[in-house]
């Protein structure tokens, strides 16, 4: 978790959406307990598209577990060979929003953690996310700016020295 991967950016984009349950975030219907997402390449065999070999889409494949109210509890992350790489456990606030996510390797060692801060008025939009390394030091800071309608206008990524590295 020491670099800003596509998966981390995608996770932040998903969390910034104004939804109160993991079910809504992933557009799931019913009381889903978990889902697993594996990505495969597409192969054209004489004009017929078939499932090819496993690929790493956004870096990894994942399994997401929810509680009885649709709140995200845990992410399991796999490589293209379907080998478990890490688990991330989520802590949620009283409104069901993820406020902290802690990641661990298979031996239980900390890989790092994300913290999330939300605008507490009407829409609960994500306004800041921080990534901390396994030693507890800040490695990335994400800042999100919204318009009056609550639509995301800009996002900024800062490094550990709080220099802007992406806009």
């Amino acid at each position: 978790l020491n670099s800003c991967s596509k998966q981390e950016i995608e996770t932040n984009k998903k969390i910034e959406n104004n939804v109160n349950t993991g079910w809504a975030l992933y557009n799931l219907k019913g009381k889903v307990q978990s889902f697993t997402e594996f990505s495969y390449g597409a192969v054209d065999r004489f004009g017929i598209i078939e499932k090819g070999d496993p690929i790493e889409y956004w870096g990894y494949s994942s399994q997401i577990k929810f509680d009885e109210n649709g709140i995200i509890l845990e992410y399991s992350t796999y490589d293209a060979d379907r080998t478990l790489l890490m688990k991330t456990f989520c802590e949620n606030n009283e409104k069901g929003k993820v406020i902290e996510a802690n990641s661990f390797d298979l031996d239980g060692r900390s890989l790092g953690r994300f913290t999330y801060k939300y605008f507490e008025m009407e829409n609960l939009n994500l306004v800041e996310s921080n990534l901390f390394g396994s030693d507890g030091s800040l490695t990335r800071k994400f800042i999100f700016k919204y318009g009056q309608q609550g639509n995301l206008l800009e996002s900024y990524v800062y490094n550990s020295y709080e220099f802007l590295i992406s806009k």
Side-chain angles (χ1 to χ4, degrees):
L1 286 179
N2 290 326
S3 66
C4 183
S5 71
K6 287 182 182 179
Q7 182 185 23
E8 292 161 2
I9 292 169
E10 184 65 18
T11 299
N12 273 321
K13 285 180 182 177
K14 287 180 179 178
I15 291 172
E16 80 192 21
N17 292 329
N18 184 25
V19 295
N20 290 326
T21 69
W23 294 332
L25 186 65
Y26 291 98
N27 199 27
L28 300 172
K29 307 298 182 210
K31 294 190 175 227
V32 176
Q33 294 177 342
S34 69
F35 78 88
T36 305
E37 177 180 59
F38 292 113
S39 299
Y40 295 86
V43 177
D44 183 347
R45 297 194 203 283
F46 305 106
I48 298 172
I49 305 299
E50 297 179 355
K51 180 171 87 173
D53 293 329
I55 60 170
E56 293 181 3
Y57 179 73
W58 288 113
Y60 305 98
S61 295
S62 61
Q63 178 183 56
I64 301 172
K65 293 183 181 179
F66 307 94
D67 72 5
E68 63 278 357
N69 298 311
I71 305 303
I72 297 171
L73 298 175
E74 177 184 320
Y75 289 86
S76 296
T77 306
Y78 302 86
D79 66 12
D81 295 326
R82 309 306 180 243
T83 302
L84 180 64
L85 298 174
M86 68 178 181
K87 286 192 175 235
T88 300
F89 299 94
C90 299
E91 181 182 334
N92 301 282
N93 65 16
E94 65 281 350
K95 296 184 178 166
K97 293 289 203 171
V98 176
I99 57 172
E100 189 168 315
N102 291 282
S103 296
F104 300 91
D105 69 13
L106 297 181
D107 294 323
R109 291 184 299 256
S110 174
L111 296 173
R113 70 183 171 98
F114 267 106
T115 60
Y116 303 95
K117 294 179 185 174
Y118 301 90
F119 183 66
E120 288 296 328
M121 298 303 279
E122 299 169 16
N123 53 19
L124 291 173
N125 282 331
L126 180 66
V127 293
E128 182 179 322
S129 178
N130 295 292
L131 173 61
F132 299 89
S134 59
D135 64 355
S137 64
L138 179 68
T139 61
R140 292 285 186 271
K141 178 180 276 194
F142 304 85
I143 302 291
F144 305 95
K145 304 279 183 185
Y146 299 88
Q148 289 183 341
Q149 303 297 322
N151 296 325
L152 181 65
L153 298 176
E154 297 178 315
S155 61
Y156 306 89
V157 181
Y158 297 88
N159 67 12
S160 60
Y161 301 104
E162 300 207 24
F163 290 117
L164 181 66
I165 58 174
S166 177
K167 181 176 175 183

